[in-house]
Amino acid sequence: WSGHIKKKKKINTNGFVAVVEPPGEREYLGKMPAGFRMIAALLGDLDNSDGRGKVFFRQESSPDVLRRAHEHIKKAFPRDDSVEPPSVLIITWANMAAQGTSGRGDGLDAKRNTFQLVLASTDLSSYAILLYPRGGLQFLSTSVDGESKLLEAGFNEGLVKGWFRTTQGTYFRITTDEETSIKELTEKTNSGQRGVWVYEIGTSCPERVQPRYLDQPEPRYPEETATRYPISEPPQPRYTVPELTEPRYSPVQPSYPDSVQPRYTNPDPVQPVPPYSQPQHPQIVVVDEDEDLNVNVFAYNLETCAHNRHKCSAFADCRDYSNGYCCHCRPGFYGNGKDCVAEGKPQRMNGKVNGRVFVGNSPSPIELSNNDLHSYVVANDGRAYVAISNIPNSVGPSLQPLSSLGGVIGWAFALEQPGYQNGFSLIGGVFSRQAEVIFQPGNERLSIKQEFKGIDEHDHLVVSTELDGRLPAIPLGSSVQINPYKEIYQYDRNLITSSSNRDYTITSPDGTVQTRSYQWRQTITFQSCPHNEATGVAPSTQQLSVDQIFVMFDADNHLIRYAMSNKIGSVHSEEGHQDDLFFQNPCFTGRHGCDINAMCRPGEGLQFTCECAAGFTGDGRYCHDIDECRENPRVCGSNAVCTNLPGTFRCECLNGFVFASDGRTCIEENRPVDHCQRGSHDCDAPERALCSYTGGSAYVCSCLPGYEGDGRVCRDIDECQQDRCHRDAFCSNTQGSYTCQCRPGFNGDGFQCSPSSSEREKTQCERQRESAQASGSGSGFFSFFRPRPAVGQYVPQCDEHGAYEPTQCHASIGQCWCVDANGQEIPNTRTGSGNTPLCESVVTPPPVGPTPRPDVHPVTPGTHLLFAQSGKIEHVPLDGYKMKKEEAKPLLHIPDRVVIAVAYDCVEKMVYWTDITGPAISKASLSGGDIIPVVTKELQSPEGIAIDHVSRLLFWTDSMRDTIEVSKLDGSQRRVLFDTDLVNPRPIVTNPAYGRLFWADWNRDGPKIEMSNMDGTERTVLVKDDLGLPNGLTFDPDNQQLCWADAGTRKVECMDPHRQLRRQIVDGIQYPFSLVSFGKNLYYTDWRREAVVAVDRLSEKEMEEFLPQKRSRLYGITTTPSQCPQAYNYCSNNGGCSHLCLPRLGGFTCRCPDAADGRCEERNL
């Protein structure tokens, strides 16, 4: 084998490497041993035609890879410690599917295997290292000529020519004919690491070679068999020439430097011998599951710009290095490449502050819960402004000395002195900061933890802050003056430390002045790009100078404000540059007068110029935005649409095109074929079968109700053979259905028949009425009188057709209520004396003649899905439960807005939505018209919205204000229902019939789903266990099921909120955002898939997905039923309340809005 390893090799997609051109797969699949020399890493009929499966190979001589190869060989053969291959060949079969499965109906969900083969050669020997995934193989067999054949791994010698005849050489199988042996490829090992197998496959010695394995002799694995197969006549393989358009074999010619050119003393092929021709057996080791092993040590280098350009900022270039890639901001921008901002452009930071702070000697802490932090910095002069809201008066004055609580943005965007860089230039916007503050003279200590999460979609830096500890008390009304200070920053590869002493002066309301100080130590950790050797070019020590410090606590508005000027430069700046005019240049002092969207460029001495930041134009003293789309219509290239934004622009590809790896060029999308839509499927006729698109180019066929078969051939079910009709009825079978009709002399619907009489058969209502009346009648003489019910007994009221009157009353108790067609009381419709509920008639006339099968419930026509995407709301019509994707189109364009939640009022046919850019809540008619503002004030981040169409109420959540609020549908009479114990409330839904409200809070530290009455009473936590990020929430009134989609657990689950019975619908989904229920289906939007996904709640399976023309994140989703769900509650006519009528279970409450006048009256009923 050794000599052959160094020759040209053929890499085959069927999981093997050959040293000759392989014959057609019919010559070897399922017919091993084959007539040619090969190494089978995992042999089977594998498929990569759908574009997801890939085969990678590379010759590698980097020290790190060679070291790993040496370690694997050493673990398997400890006596070969000196084996150091000069290079290795790494072959990776990634995401390979079994032939036929990717287009047979399961599409993107087809099972896939990834595995590797590493070939290492030295002057004396050759080795094969086989690597299999730690998580196990997803399939163990493939179909060959209609039969299931197990995958194989092993070494095949092929045909061997002798003096007189050609014989079949050795085939050493690693696996056996048992399925367990294939599973154990990933579970066991012969080299000390689970899933890694090492074999010496040849030497360059002239004698016949025995294959060698682990030195220990005790096998713990079923014995492998190596069988010789004599063949009387050599087979005649058919060689195929691969087409250029779709090659199946990848020839690799390894190159070796002259200094290590292998020497071969024997040019003849060396024959491997079966493993048991000698007493030394391989030892098989079972590795503990919890051992931390990285099996995929030879992973194909996907860390290149070709695969990761999208991870760089839009204002960065990607560069490949020997071991990976790095992102570098372009000229005119600065940052770490992942986050880049324009030079000179003002920057903003938003976040939340949480924690427990003790003040002075108080034994009770002050709780901070999601207090808003906002910061703004003028980057071209280093001036930073910070504000934290909702600070209690009990702690606000004592926070004044902590200017660096938000002043870290001052360091991040500090004014840079020549040769020095601020924090954002060095590490970008993703890092962790931990600080320790020790106050003197009282030795109080405070810990500050901050997580900076990068730049969000609004170009704001995002931070979360946690405080814990004690502050010295400062009286309310005191002012604090912080003296200028300097802070030394020490820089290492992924670590920054700093410390300083700070003095501050407290002036009390009575004029008393005190001077205090504190020590400040902080550590900043981050992840730099490890592949760029030039990383860390900034000096290892820099000094942050902070002056013009202003702090104030605004007790009236509960705000604490900080402002400061920041410069980053040399620790010797004062001593060494006092007389240097260059360092006194206004660009370095910040006193230049350039526009806030401009950079200051230093000249000689005190000279400077102002230059507008990228995306702006002007003389530098005044800058205005450039409309790149108008000035350069081709800026986005062909097949793209350009949208101008302040300081920049956005490119969107046209329908049928996607972004190339550069993130800007639009190339034609190789979109999969929807055979169902195109009509190129092989399902039976549409009147008998349903074709369901399942993603990729895959689909499934299923017979319609009333038919049976595999979907490709469907046969009518003869229901008449199943005795579906009454015994006194005729049954008529039809295609896909049947009808029942009573025989002559009988009356009924065919499912129930009774003998005819001169009178019409009594209905259920009439029979119940007759029974109630009969129960109060006497016997004997009195039976001649008209029966009458007993006093106090309820008698149903029937109309002239014998159907239940929609409004039923019981005079004895003075109550009325609504009923359905079966006479069942509708919940929450019972009224007291003097009040009659408004009940709609839901009774349909009794059928005449043949009737359709009773288990068919047609879906109401005219229902649509509405979903939000970027600055628009789109709609997709539903045909039954199937999305009519070809008819999808935008309903409403709302440019420059981020629409989060959508809801629908089925009464007035109005669409309501929230947007966080206004922020605002708005509505528009489904049939078109103007956008009508509903709520535009006192909003920060409205993310969830719900409607009670019966009570005409609007509910919403605000994740920045941490509130749940209610108002009339026009936005009037607004009232806060909840403002406590909320962290990140998002989805909210209603159950009008029961007066219930449900919402989810995706607080990462304690996610939960809660329920209350609509008036705010009986608040309770429904679900708090096994939740991650419950983004989507929906309620199905027909089945009384509350369902949610969780982006943390990646599950969709449902529960009955009354009995609290919980069940999983699907798992393994990607990143759901919003969820809506319709009939038996759940529809959710998915951020990662950028799609609307349909799930059958009954079969617990994904049914189909819809990919919008323009791919971007999808947000809220709802339905637009053509008829309102039947529901009643006590507030359908506002319940006689003067202002807000808020339903609750079994009653209602009159409530006043928060801004109520003096005429409002509150009461409970």
Side-chain angles (χ1 to χ4, degrees), residues 827-850:
N828 291 329
T829 60
R830 191 173 287 252
T831 61
S833 177
N835 292 319
T836 302
L838 180 62
C839 305
E840 295 182 8
S841 175
V842 294
V843 179
T844 56
V848 178

Side-chain angles (χ1 to χ4, degrees), residues 132 151-153 172-190 195 197 199 214 216-225 275-276 281-286:
Y132 301 98
L151 301 174
E152 298 183 48
F172 167 56
R173 290 185 64 180
I174 301 174
T175 58
T176 69
D177 291 329
E178 298 293 329
E179 189 176 276
T180 54
S181 69
I182 303 161
K183 293 181 180 179
E184 289 171 341
L185 288 175
T186 66
E187 299 168 355
K188 297 184 179 181
T189 180
N190 69 350
W197 303 80
Y199 298 91
L214 285 176
Q216 294 87 344
E218 298 178 3
R220 293 171 56 190
Y221 188 83
E223 292 190 349
E224 297 128 330
T225 58
Y276 295 109
H281 304 300
Q283 176 165 0
I284 310 303
V285 181
V286 179

